Amino acid sequence: MQKTKLLFVCLGNICRSPSAENIMNYLIEKQGLRNQFECDSAGTSRYHIGSSPDKRMKIAAKKRGIELKGKARQIEDFDLEYYDFILAMDKSNYFDILALDRQGKYKHKIKLMCDFTTKFPDQEVPDPYYGGESGFDYVIDLLLDACQGLLDFCNK
Ligand code: 4NP
């Protein structure tokens, strides 16, 4: 069976999108679906290329038993072709990804992460970078909800 390939995208690829990637892998593993999915994450900016996930984000994820792995990279044109779904954390990320799709060939693959929430009312995953600890905890809980919704959507 072909794997469903998912790319999670935010601005820096050190807070929200690596959290989404690792939370998704955590849920996939827990539900015995490892052979069905391939996940990665990327940033729209170059700011943090090569960096590990933000320490504050790692602490928040650890409280929920999730380890954040990976190194930041920037999204490339090729990602639009390769991945089945590209999940933007906020609307600004969404429009930056759309701008890479010059011919409009991949618009159907690009989605907002919050389209898949079932409990949280948010339309965007808030950027926690300049805020306090509670913002990081909130991102993890919101992404646990959205990732489970996305997993159910892909498994329908
Ligand atoms: P992320 O958070 O997009 O969720 O990784 C941010 C990381 C870095 C910056 C902004 C947001 N920054 O301005 O450097």
Side-chain angles (χ1 to χ4, degrees), residues 15-121:
C15 294
R16 293 164 293 173
S17 62
S19 298
E21 174 195 350
N22 285 281
I23 287 171
M24 197 68 184
N25 280 331
Y26 166 84
L27 295 175
I28 287 167
E29 192 71 33
K30 230 170 68 167
Q31 292 162 43
L33 302 169
R34 193 199 291 180
N35 299 329
Q36 294 181 39
F37 291 93
E38 178 182 325
C39 301
D40 195 9
S41 63
T44 55
S45 77
R46 302 179 43 81
Y47 304 156
H48 297 279
I49 291 175
S51 298
S52 296
D54 188 287
K55 261 203 192 119
R56 299 163 297 172
M57 200 76 251
K58 285 175 100 158
I59 291 169
K62 194 97 184 275
K63 290 184 200 164
R64 296 279 182 267
I66 299 157
E67 191 189 343
L68 299 188
K69 302 176 200 160
K71 294 272 188 267
R73 71 173 180 91
Q74 188 175 28
I75 187 170
E76 300 172 54
D77 289 0
F78 174 73
D79 291 315
L80 297 180
E81 186 186 325
Y82 183 77
Y83 286 93
D84 298 306
F85 293 109
I86 296 151
L87 291 310
M89 297 299 124
D90 64 30
K91 289 175 189 168
S92 164
N93 308 146
Y94 177 84
F95 288 113
D96 286 342
I97 301 164
L98 266 192
L100 295 175
D101 181 19
R102 287 169 207 88
Q103 297 171 338
K105 265 166 74 178
Y106 303 112
K107 189 166 191 272
H108 60 286
K109 297 184 177 187
I110 308 166
K111 312 267 182 211
L112 274 168
M113 194 64 206
C114 284
D115 290 348
F116 299 96
T117 53
T118 61
K119 301 186 184 91
F120 283 71

Side-chain angles (χ1 to χ4, degrees), residues 10-18 47-48 93 127-130:
C10 62
L11 177 64
N13 193 210
I14 54 168
C15 294
R16 293 164 293 173
S17 62
Y47 304 156
H48 297 279
N93 308 146
D127 181 350
Y129 192 70
Y130 291 107

